[in-house]
Amino acid sequence: MDFVVLCSVLAFFGNAAMLVMLAYKIITFSELEVDHINPRDYSAKVNRLAVPEVSLHGAIMFVLLVSGHWMLFLLNCPLMGYNIYLMMNGQHIVKPEKVFVPSNKKLEQRKILASLLFCLICFFMYLYTMIQALVREKTDFD
């Protein structure tokens, strides 16, 4: 398997894993809104995904950088910069006592939905890149 194909496949499946994490966050947030779980459980569930999500995003960006997909790498830079900003200021952690404050609740919901939308757009771009690399590899062998 060609290196570019391998990197495209890794980026695609890494992004799929990020989509699963974000879907879990949305499901957990909706459970919080309808009072199926309490704020402490919500915070514990969401906070344990914060570092793996940013780490996975960093790994995807590294794979894109190494494989030469500069535009996809640059497209990911703003979200990664925002995530690093949140982590540096300690805002990536959801605090149970602030979950039901309306402004914090709305902000948390917007952060999750914005990340989900971004990852969904990237999912299709990575899918296209992966298919393009696989077709290019197939035509090189013929």
Side-chain angles (χ1 to χ4, degrees):
M1 187 180 292
D2 191 276
F3 181 70
V4 175
V5 173
L6 179 66
C7 289
S8 297
V9 170
L10 287 174
F12 175 75
F13 284 113
N15 194 340
M18 282 182 60
L19 281 172
V20 168
M21 283 188 235
L22 289 168
Y24 178 75
K25 281 184 174 183
I26 286 178
I27 291 169
T28 309
F29 188 80
S30 66
E31 286 178 349
L32 176 70
E33 284 185 328
V34 295
D35 289 333
H36 286 267
I37 60 173
N38 61 23
R40 181 164 293 162
D41 291 339
Y42 170 75
S43 298
K45 288 179 179 184
V46 171
N47 287 341
R48 73 173 171 211
L49 290 177
V51 174
E53 183 182 345
V54 173
S55 301
L56 184 59
H57 192 203
I60 291 170
M61 287 183 65
F62 177 74
V63 166
L64 291 173
L65 185 64
V66 170
S67 66
H69 292 101
W70 308 109
M71 293 306 291
L72 291 175
F73 172 78
L74 291 174
L75 180 71
N76 279 286
C77 284
L79 181 62
M80 185 56 137
Y82 179 69
N83 286 334
I84 290 173
Y85 169 78
L86 289 178
M87 292 189 89
M88 293 296 216
N89 293 328
Q91 297 174 357
H92 67 290
I93 300 291
V94 177
K95 295 177 177 72
E97 63 272 4
K98 294 185 179 182
V99 168
F100 281 122
V101 175
S103 61
N104 289 344
K105 190 174 183 182
K106 200 67 165 169
L107 178 67
E108 183 67 23
Q109 184 179 20
R110 285 184 182 163
K111 284 194 310 189
I112 294 171
L113 290 177
S115 294
L116 181 70
L117 179 65
F118 178 80
C119 284
L120 200 58
I121 291 169
C122 285
F123 179 80
F124 290 108
M125 288 191 297
Y126 297 153
L127 177 65
Y128 176 76
T129 304
M130 182 179 70
I131 291 171
Q132 184 182 30
L134 287 169
V135 168
R136 187 175 295 144
E137 182 186 40
K138 175 75 173 152
T139 57
D140 288 344
F141 285 126
D142 291 340

